[in-house]
Amino acid sequence: MSVNDLKDSGDRQEFRTGAVRDTTEGKPLLELLPSWSLMAWAWIMEAGSRKYAARNWEQGMPMSRYLASAHRHLELYRMGFRDEPHLWQALWNVGGAIHTSILVHIGVYPAEFYDLPNHVGMERPPVLGEFERVRIDAMMKSSKDKNPTRPVSA
């Protein structure tokens, strides 16, 4: 790998010390994600890996299954049930729906996984809105890996 293989926006941020870095503009600010929410998500992943298999969910399933489960868990939490980590499970399911929508958009998952009804028009809306599509398409376009593949799980 040479320095020319590194992604570069061409924009620079210069520090008082003289150090220079590519800017963060347009890049996801992962450092701003709420730590406790990420921990909750990860704990649900851990519990799910014991119940099913660690990467079972990555085999894919329709978005409606994720959203129905998220809705159910949110409603149970709202009603006061604390017999399960309902709020955390809702987060996990929303994450699964987002993941699925992106993988349908980029062609990794089949279009049938986007199985939601359209109650606002006659035509099927796109799986991603403009905000999401612009960011995902830019990320995919900027990849120097022209043939990205998913890692094979052991």
Side-chain angles (χ1 to χ4, degrees):
M1 173 186 251
S2 75
V3 72
N4 294 331
D5 293 330
L6 299 176
K7 292 184 199 176
D8 194 320
S9 71
D11 295 328
R12 297 283 182 267
Q13 177 181 7
E14 187 169 342
F15 300 91
R16 279 187 347 190
T17 62
V20 184
R21 295 281 316 237
D22 195 6
T23 66
T24 59
E25 187 167 334
K27 297 175 183 170
L29 299 178
L30 299 172
E31 67 274 16
L32 297 181
L33 291 173
S35 298
W36 283 114
S37 296
L38 291 174
M39 294 297 288
W41 199 344
W43 277 317
I44 293 299
M45 291 291 250
E46 186 272 333
S49 73
R50 284 186 281 113
K51 184 175 179 179
Y52 304 105
R55 304 192 87 87
N56 172 67
W57 67 278
E58 289 181 325
Q59 295 177 57
M61 64 185 81
M63 287 179 65
S64 62
R65 290 298 304 270
Y66 287 115
L67 295 176
S69 183
H71 190 188
R72 220 174 11 260
H73 282 295
L74 284 172
E75 195 58 26
L76 288 166
Y77 183 83
R78 192 182 70 78
M79 291 170 65
F81 287 94
R82 301 298 184 267
D83 56 320
E84 295 181 49
H86 292 295
L87 195 57
W88 296 15
Q89 289 171 305
L91 171 66
W92 185 90
N93 279 284
V94 169
I98 291 169
H99 178 83
T100 299
S101 70
I102 292 168
L103 268 60
V104 166
H105 175 73
I106 65 174
V108 174
Y109 283 170
E112 298 84 55
F113 280 6
Y114 177 49
D115 64 339
L116 304 177
N118 179 8
H119 296 291
V120 296
M122 297 301 293
E123 295 187 23
R124 183 174 197 90
V127 67
L128 298 179
E130 182 179 358
F131 182 91
E132 302 99 329
R133 184 185 45 73
V134 165
R135 285 157 179 79
I136 298 304
D137 289 351
M139 180 176 277
M140 295 302 290
K141 184 178 178 187
S142 74
S143 175
K144 292 195 178 260
D145 184 351
K146 298 304 178 198
N147 188 21
T149 58
R150 291 174 43 189
V152 176
S153 58

